[in-house]
Amino acid sequence: MRSRAPAAHWRELLFGRRLRTEEEQDEQLGAWSGVPVLGLDALASASYGPEAALTVLLPLGTAAAAGAMPWVVVAVLGVLLLVFLSYRQTIAAYPTGGGSFAVAKENLGRFAGVLAGSALALDYVLNVAVAISAGVGALISAVPELQPHTLALCLAVLALLVATNLRGIRTAGLVFVTPTYAFVFLLGATIAVGLVKALLAGGRPVPIDPAPQLPALGAGVGLWLLVHAFASGCTALTGVEAVSNAVPLFRPPAVRRARLTLTLLVLMLALLVAGVGALARFYGIGATAPGEAGYESVLSQLVGAVAGRGPWYCATMASVLAVLALSANTSFADFPRVCRLLALDEFLPAGFAHRGGRLVYTLGIVVLALCAGLLLVAFDGVTDRLIPLFAVGAFLAFTLSQAGMLAHWHRQGWRKHLRPLLLNGLGTFATAVTLIVIAVAKFCEGAWLTLVVLPLLLALFYAIRRHHERIERQTAAEGPLDLSRLREPLVVVPVKRLDRVARRALQCALSMSPQVQVVQVLAEELRTEDLTALWAEWVERPARAAGVRPPQLVRISSEYREFFGPFLAYLRRLSSEEPERTIAVVVPELAERRWYQFLLRHRATLLKGLLVLQGHARIVVISTPYYLRE
Amino acid sequence: MRSRAPAAHWRELLFGRRLRTEEEQDEQLGAWSGVPVLGLDALASASYGPEAALTVLLPLGTAAAAGAMPWVVVAVLGVLLLVFLSYRQTIAAYPTGGGSFAVAKENLGRFAGVLAGSALALDYVLNVAVAISAGVGALISAVPELQPHTLALCLAVLALLVATNLRGIRTAGLVFVTPTYAFVFLLGATIAVGLVKALLAGGRPVPIDPAPQLPALGAGVGLWLLVHAFASGCTALTGVEAVSNAVPLFRPPAVRRARLTLTLLVLMLALLVAGVGALARFYGIGATAPGEAGYESVLSQLVGAVAGRGPWYCATMASVLAVLALSANTSFADFPRVCRLLALDEFLPAGFAHRGGRLVYTLGIVVLALCAGLLLVAFDGVTDRLIPLFAVGAFLAFTLSQAGMLAHWHRQGWRKHLRPLLLNGLGTFATAVTLIVIAVAKFCEGAWLTLVVLPLLLALFYAIRRHHERIERQTAAEGPLDLSRLREPLVVVPVKRLDRVARRALQCALSMSPQVQVVQVLAEELRTEDLTALWAEWVERPARAAGVRPPQLVRISSEYREFFGPFLAYLRRLSSEEPERTIAVVVPELAERRWYQFLLRHRATLLKGLLVLQGHARIVVISTPYYLRE
């Protein structure tokens, strides 16, 4: 056999050496390294959630919008608190990880589980495309010269994420730890300084770089506007579920560490969202119209107002940008795990449940990257229009998970678990209401698409499952092997001329069965060398000498100058003449190790393919490769 | 086995029923039907050859150009006469057809033959692209609204040609006979009327629609200009060689019919070229600058001058246009035959020498269509720039063929064959001079590219030949079969669980050899069902009851969670422990008849591929397909 050294060498260089199954523990996460791996998505939402809410409030004018903002922020934080408490419970109740899929499946039935899984899978794919696109978009608004390279930059970030994640969870933690904590520190410090300034100035701080003030468009603060702003602000919550899906990624005690990570994460997120909301009010900062001249993100205005446009501003904005782009990483940690769970239930091919050389679910990572890459290419790297699709999937999964936990406590005996039951009941209500609000508020902006894509995904998953079930039904077997009708196969060797390739095939055939037929298909075009004259001397005599029954020579003429038709017809005839017998077709094959050589000699490959495609249960195919010296 | 009915049905609908080899004669051509099949290229040249010459003379101004034209036409017709007489001789000397390739190879050595073959092959590919593009271009200058659909129209014509030719030679003759003879009749009648008018008017006929008169650009009638015009005019000769390549296409007596077709063809061509040249002079018609405003083709001016712009004009120009576009058909008749000859000498894969269901060389037709299609797509349907490449290939083949015939007569005894020898000597001289003139005159316009592409083609052909020779050297064998070391193979069956698929494989293995090993690769991820506990009951007992040696159960653990690595390593170990033994690997395979099902279960396919790619001479692969019910 050939050594696999070169391929293995390259793989090792790119992805590191392969890891044994026992080495899993070295790859696992602690509470603090869990944040960069699983929390980037949630943290990044802090930068776009408040902005999304303020954008909805734009018609009020900057002043009124900033005034209305605290109400929205309080509502969002309320939902966040419920979701947090609920997922803390989920982590403890489902320490094998599984999040929405496992919880919904176990408590609400398989369909609810698959629905949650589909919603999450869709959400994760969108998240990758949108996050990368948003980060690159922010970079481009800072350095407009890069604009023509938008798509290339997006794909480069995607490639970085894929490579990092294929190297394993530990690498991902190490690579993303710096940007994560830099973001938290810089933005947190800015907010703290801003709040202190506001306090000292009695709630009316003087901005270093004042934000633009937009006039009101004559709209009043209506309930629907607030509800709509709340729905938009809820995008700040996406990503919070990630930790509960991935409890087994943590070092033991996994539950404790996972809960600690979740707490850290939600704390940072809540502080950042609350801080942004408060500062927006104190400094009178509103959204500017996205896509129009003079647009500036809320965070940029805020940092400018608090700290001016010096090096601090640059460092903070750079960290925001990095976290935005890298927030796609959460999907890379979680999407493969959702796929794995679907695969374990046979809703996806088994390969999704198989850990690769670096102990990650390689197939899931690759499929995620392909889907996101296709979206990026299809939208040319600008995926604004996908944003509305987003929160629907996440909140559908939230709701199913909450409802599942509700059923869980109910089944466990609601009297004993009254507090968690009430908590999850409240959570179910809040997330369901939020889901409906988001779906209605954003229906026209694109949320309707989710209603198209989700059923398609569900149909695909169920089709795969049905296929697996059909195979299982038809192949499952129990009990002792049936060897009652064991008989040597009738071996058929198609031969064009008696070269070394054919001789090898014939030797092999004669070693397997006493009944061998050599079949020659004759036509002028086929240039088959008729063996009749040589048969006695070259084949029959040595066979007798070796003590085996000489093979029989069969000649078939081909009136349409083709090999396959007459040969397959002969096999059909043979098989009806010997209705109990296995027919083994030996395919003499010139094995070539370079791919382009297949283009020159493909007959053997074609014959093997046709025999499987058009064959039947009693035909087996034997290939006897003959290797050329290089 | 499955019936192949649906595929066969569709094929029949598209290409007609398959033809038996004996039906060849019904497909063959008569002299008159030979013209549309083999002569469209040559006839179409009549429309662009004179124009090409007049375009070179453009700087002289219309009047002087028309005056110089007769000299050029006489020179071109002189070469045409020589080429005609020479190919008449070639047809008689090589009645199996072969034209330049066969003649050059037999008389000047194989290299000259392959060179001529490459030149012709290149010429034919270019001809298809350029002819279609020219025809569609003419259509578009008549109906400018079609301009955005240029490429689509080109590809549609290409598809028509491919489909017609795949249906066989007879269909091609029937489909193309009308446009061909309509063209000859309409253009011939126009010329006749014009000449009569000119005669009656004493050489100064009054044009119905006068052609534009362009002033001289101050250039005099120099020798180089005339030579250059001659070189361009010689494009009128391309396509004349086609008949000699395809003598076997004619009904017996093939030589007589082929010569008659050639004579008809050259006669029509000569009359048309001479007529166009004469009328250009009488009516004072010159070329207009191509690609500039006010451009009008010479033929269009000429028909307008003789017959005005009525229905006659429309009919004639429509026939010109059809013949231009369909002149690509000659390539479809000849290119596959050139490829066939190259394949018979092993310079191309054997498939090129194989006649398909309709007795045409299907592979050659498909490859020609692909190459031409790629050129059309690459140049977006506008292939003007390829025109200069053209005549070089044709005249290189002419010269090699003439020189080959010269050597032929010399070898036959020059005293006995003095007249043909002199004729071919003159032919060699004339075509060689023309070749040099064309190559020099058009070097900068693109003829240099031929010097790049031809060596590449030659290198490719010789590489394929060397590959074939290497295979032949390593596989050729003579003498009786060596059966001295015949021994049952050691059969290895990788098994994940004992389902029906595995049972089928195991039954098959036990029927072939007394020594069978069942190998299980164990890892948590692989979900292999460990058979140890069931082995005695499910396998060993029935085996003993059936009187065969029970198979041995081998368990391998996989520390990297993969199947292939440990399994292949085990085979390597086994093979070094049993250095004389054939190892037969039985691959239990769930055979699925729908292509997309391969996506779900690909392990068997992958294993078979790896075993051939990384295996060695003593490993054979047995696949035992297990079929699911639909």
Side-chain angles (χ1 to χ4, degrees), chain B residues 4 11 29 95 98 105 169 193 207 232 244 260 307 317 343 351 357 375 378 410 414 418 463 465 496 548 569 598 618:
Chain B
R4 293 164 61 211
R11 192 179 55 191
L29 300 171
K105 181 188 139 196
I169 288 294
V193 169
S232 291
S244 72
L260 188 51
M317 292 317 292
L375 278 179
H410 182 72
W414 62 272
L418 198 58
R465 163 113 186 166
K496 193 167 152 182
V548 297
F598 280 108
R618 284 183 297 109

Side-chain angles (χ1 to χ4, degrees), chain A residues 290-315:
Chain A
E292 289 177 19
Y295 169 73
E296 192 185 353
S297 75
V298 169
L299 275 194
S300 167
Q301 295 179 47
L302 196 145
V303 179
V306 172
R309 308 265 167 181
W312 182 270
Y313 171 85
C314 290

